[in-house]
Each structure stands twice: as structure tokens, then as C-alpha cells.
Amino acid sequence: MKIIMLGAPGAGKGTHAKGIVEAYKIPAISTGDIFRQNIKEGTELGKKAKSYMDAGDLVPDDLVCDLVVDRIGKDDAKDGFILDGFPRTIPQAEALTKALEAKGTAIDYALDIEMSDDAIIERMGGRRVCAGCGATYHVVNVPPKKEGICDKCGGNLELRKDDDPETVKKRLDVYHEQTAPLIDYYKKQGVLREIDGTLGIEGVSKAIKEILG
Ligand code: AP5
Ligand code: MG
């Protein structure tokens, strides 16, 4: 099964991609996580991506497309994958369609998790991520067992660098301008499924399960 998670920043793409990984045993590929890992390791890619990410802008297409096409060609993705945070522009979507077409295949589902900007801004203030393993929490919706400490690795929970209110607003503007047109793109391909992102963790997980079967 080949799945794309669509939705604005903070809509729950990463959270719900993890649920699909567990249920369907296919890898989740998050371009945001790949960039953050590269920044942490100080790689050339990380150095190039950092200034764009800190400003809430998109990293240029040419730094993203080859990376993803290469990643979905790996052995663990041969039975399918979940893309979280890619594609994010029409040229990225076209590059993905072309790469899949070359293998005689296509995306099965583009899951669009829908939320209003106001609901997103309110929710993002409560997100915490582990500095060690990158696991995501929410102070109210997904609290860790011990405040400020990751359940999985014991690392410290922090605010993500691009989660300050001003940068979140910028990311939402960029989303509406450059990423929202993908909703129509995948609607035309007949694979778009819309999900109400305000349903809560259980509600959204259940809606996704009903779609994927
Ligand atoms: P990326 O890391 O992809 O960030 P994003 O799209 O802005 O999305 P987020 O990770 O912020 O949110 P999410 O939808 O995953 O929500 P989450 O599950 O955490 O990208 C970061 C940056 O990298 C970009 O700005 C760009 O610069 C660059 N980049 C990445 N990909 C790129 C690309 N393809 N092209 C160019 N540049 C790229 O959930 C949010 C919070 O809500 C959490 O606290 C969670 O616990 C909680 N929550 C989740 N679901 C629910 C629910 N159903 N009910 C209640 N709470 C919930
Ligand atoms: Mg994410």
C-alpha cells in the first residue's frame, strides 16, 4: 500500500503515520524527520536545509525529490510506504508520480487530515518532541508518563525549533500557497480521502482504519 499523508503543519501527519506503520508493517518516511536528523548530525544536507526550516519556508524541491525517490526504492519499501511531509509542492508531486509510473505503479491513498488554522495554532503550543529519539507528545492530548521525559528513551522533551507562534503562522501561509493545491491534484487522481483532524487521536485513527481496511 502506498500512502501519502496530506495536511497542514500540526494536523497530525506524523502521529497517525506511526499508527499505520504498526498496523500495516510498511515504513513511514518523513522528510521533516530526515532533515532534522541531518541537522543534528551536521551533514551538508542539514546545513543547506536548516535556514529554510528555521524560517518556516520549504526546502527547495531539488534537495527533496531525489532523496525521496531514492528512499522509496529501498528494499523495505517494496511492499509500500507512507510519505509524511512529501510531496509538498506540485513539482514534487509530479516527480513522485513520474518515479512511480516508471515502476508501473501509483499512490493508493492520499489521506488529507483537515484542520482549521486556529485549531492548529492552539494545538501546536502543546506539542513536545524528544531531543533524543524524536518521538512526539502533546502536553494535553498525548502526555508522557513523566512530565518533560520521553517514555521511549528517557530523553528530554522540548518545543520544536519551528513551533514558535510566528513561525507556525508562516508555515501555515506556505502550506496554503504551495501545498494545499495537492488536494486537488490527488482528487483528480481519484485517491484523495478526507479526514476530520479534530476528532482526537482515537477518532482520527479509527477513520484511517476504515479507509485503509
Ligand atoms: P515537517 O516536519 O513535515 O513539519 P510539518 O508539515 O510542518 O508538520 P508537523 O511535523 O509540524 O506536524 P504533523 O502534521 O506531523 O503533526 P504531529 O503528528 O506532530 O516539516 C518541517 C519543515 O521541513 C518544513 O517547514 C520544511 O521547511 C521542511 N520540509 C519537510 N518536508 C519538505 C518537503 N517535502 N519539501 C520542502 N520542505 C520540506 O501532531 C501535532 C501535535 O498534535 C502533536 O503534539 C500531537 O501529539 C498532536 N496530535 C496529533 N494528532 C492528534 C489528534 N488526532 N488529536 C489530538 N492531538 C493530536
Ligand atoms: Mg510531523
Side-chain angles (χ1 to χ4, degrees), residues 8-16 31-33 35-36 52-53 56-59 64 84-86 88 92 123-124 126-128 136-138 141-142 160 162 171 197 200-201 204:
K13 301 181 295 295
T15 299
H16 294 288
T31 40
D33 285 352
F35 288 136
R36 279 184 288 277
Y52 297 101
M53 292 175 73
D57 277 322
L58 293 184
V59 173
V64 193
D84 158 16
F86 181 95
R88 244 178 161 100
Q92 290 182 19
R123 191 194 266 179
M124 290 294 248
R127 174 161 67 179
R128 298 291 180 275
T136 299
Y137 297 83
H138 190 281
N141 305 338
V142 190
R160 218 168 82 179
D162 55 353
R171 287 160 61 204
I201 302 276
V204 172

Side-chain angles (χ1 to χ4, degrees), residues 31 35 45 48-49 52 57-70 85-96 174 177-179 182:
T31 40
F35 288 136
L45 178 65
K48 284 181 188 158
Y52 297 101
D57 277 322
L58 293 184
V59 173
D61 290 339
D62 61 343
L63 290 182
V64 193
C65 291
D66 290 350
L67 182 147
V68 173
V69 169
D70 186 55
F86 181 95
R88 244 178 161 100
T89 63
I90 292 287
Q92 290 182 19
E94 286 169 346
L96 176 64
V174 169
E177 204 178 295
Q178 301 197 51
T179 308
L182 296 182

Side-chain angles (χ1 to χ4, degrees), residues 3-7 12-18 20 82-87 109-113 195 204 208:
I3 301 167
I4 291 171
M5 306 298 287
L6 288 178
K13 301 181 295 295
T15 299
H16 294 288
K18 292 208 169 64
I20 305 174
I82 308 146
L83 291 176
D84 158 16
F86 181 95
Y109 295 104
L111 305 177
D112 179 30
I113 307 183
I195 297 157
V204 172
I208 291 176

